[in-house]
Amino acid sequence: MSGEWGPAGDRGAGASSLVSMSSGELPRGDRFDWYVELVRESIAPFSLSSAHAHGFKARVAAVDLGSVQMTHFVFEPLRAARTLRHIRRSDPETYQLALVGGSPMSVRQCGNDAEVDTGSLVFFDTSHPLDAFVPDEHGQGRVTLLRIPKQAFPLPAGQADRVLSRRLAPDGVSGAVLCQYLTTIRDRATDLGAGERHRLGTIAVDLAAAFLSEHVEARHLLPPESRQQVLRAQIDSYIERHLGSSELTPAHVAAHHYISLRSLHRIFRDRQETVAASIRRRRLERCRADLADPRLAAYPIAVLATRWGFPVPADFSRAFRTAYGLSPRAFRHRAASADAPCTARPAK
């Protein structure tokens, strides 16, 4: 089936492993059975029931992140139960971290009951019975689910069990970074290459472990490499949020994260670009997107450049030409030409 992300394999060699499906492409009487089977394949076997089973409306979009999978579900209100019989029949031995984005969800696992509202997260284990319920009164359910093999999860099982089926509010820094990370991957999945997807999957696991460890006060149990990955993600998130600030310098980034400038440069050593180069590249990418946006055609180039941290027009023009092989003005003209779409690429 095709959908908003497009089926895997339809984008040529090196394409992202993306799959998008909708029940609307099926006869009404087949839709709920299709969804039950899809849940079985993408999560684990469940018994599902819904007052909307006939003509059931659902959309599912999934991206492969190496050993980790992310799936975004949009579905009609329903009840889901995973029993001991299901577990004996099939247990993928995975953790499931769900970011709830639509109707609140009621969950129960290992004696824990929780009402998980929009914007909160909840953590499941496929090896234990589970009940979940999305009621009718709040409309469709929307869940972004991160599926993590237990063997790949750095938090010890005894600690992970302590947060099963609890409402997990993303109030702290690790929670905010994790939610932003998940939504960015979900919303920009079509931009991901194969190598990038695997790296992002590894970081997602470390962010999830750091977030959960905050809720069980087990940060000391995380291996050093996981803590380093979390710090990298926090730094990347901070840079993205402050690209327009004139104060965004390597020294400022290091001070904000309470590390030395030398430590910051060490974190970027394996990225094949310096901290300053990373900031400049991201700013240029934002400027390039604005120059290609017809909705911003009335704005002077200098205004757009200043918006993303280039207050001196000559410096911006020189940096842009070096990166893309065109002046900002020539690039904007090419992007606006009906017979010459925006095709500029970084200069060799």
Side-chain angles (χ1 to χ4, degrees), residues 107-155:
V107 294
R108 178 180 177 83
Q109 188 170 55
C110 293
N112 296 329
D113 292 276
E115 297 291 329
V116 187
D117 54 353
T118 299
S120 295
L121 298 102
V122 64
F123 190 57
F124 302 125
D125 183 344
T126 60
S127 300
H128 299 293
L130 169 68
D131 286 300
F133 177 57
V134 175
D136 272 298
E137 54 264 29
H138 298 292
Q140 287 186 319
R142 294 177 180 270
V143 174
T144 300
L145 194 71
L146 188 67
R147 181 186 184 191
I148 308 170
K150 289 184 179 181
Q151 62 183 13
F153 200 59
L155 200 63

Side-chain angles (χ1 to χ4, degrees), residues 189-238:
T190 53
D191 299 333
L192 300 178
E196 187 178 19
R197 286 189 286 108
H198 282 72
R199 290 192 296 271
L200 292 175
T202 299
I203 296 172
V205 172
D206 289 324
L207 284 175
F211 170 66
L212 293 171
S213 70
E214 295 285 344
H215 286 266
V216 296
E217 299 180 354
R219 282 171 289 180
H220 63 285
L221 297 174
L222 292 176
E225 57 269 22
S226 292
R227 293 195 292 269
Q228 187 81 343
Q229 287 277 32
V230 170
L231 178 59
R232 289 178 182 177
Q234 290 174 340
I235 290 170
D236 283 337
S237 177
Y238 183 81

Side-chain angles (χ1 to χ4, degrees), residues 36-52:
V36 172
E37 180 64 16
L38 189 145
V39 168
R40 184 191 69 79
E41 292 180 353
S42 59
I43 305 177
F46 278 82
S47 292
L48 302 183
S49 60
S50 172
H52 308 274

Side-chain angles (χ1 to χ4, degrees), residues 254-271:
H256 180 82
H257 292 87
Y258 303 101
I259 59 176
S260 68
L261 188 58
R262 182 178 180 181
S263 295
L264 179 65
H265 287 308
R266 189 180 302 118
I267 289 172
F268 274 72
R269 187 174 297 161
D270 62 351
R271 297 190 174 188

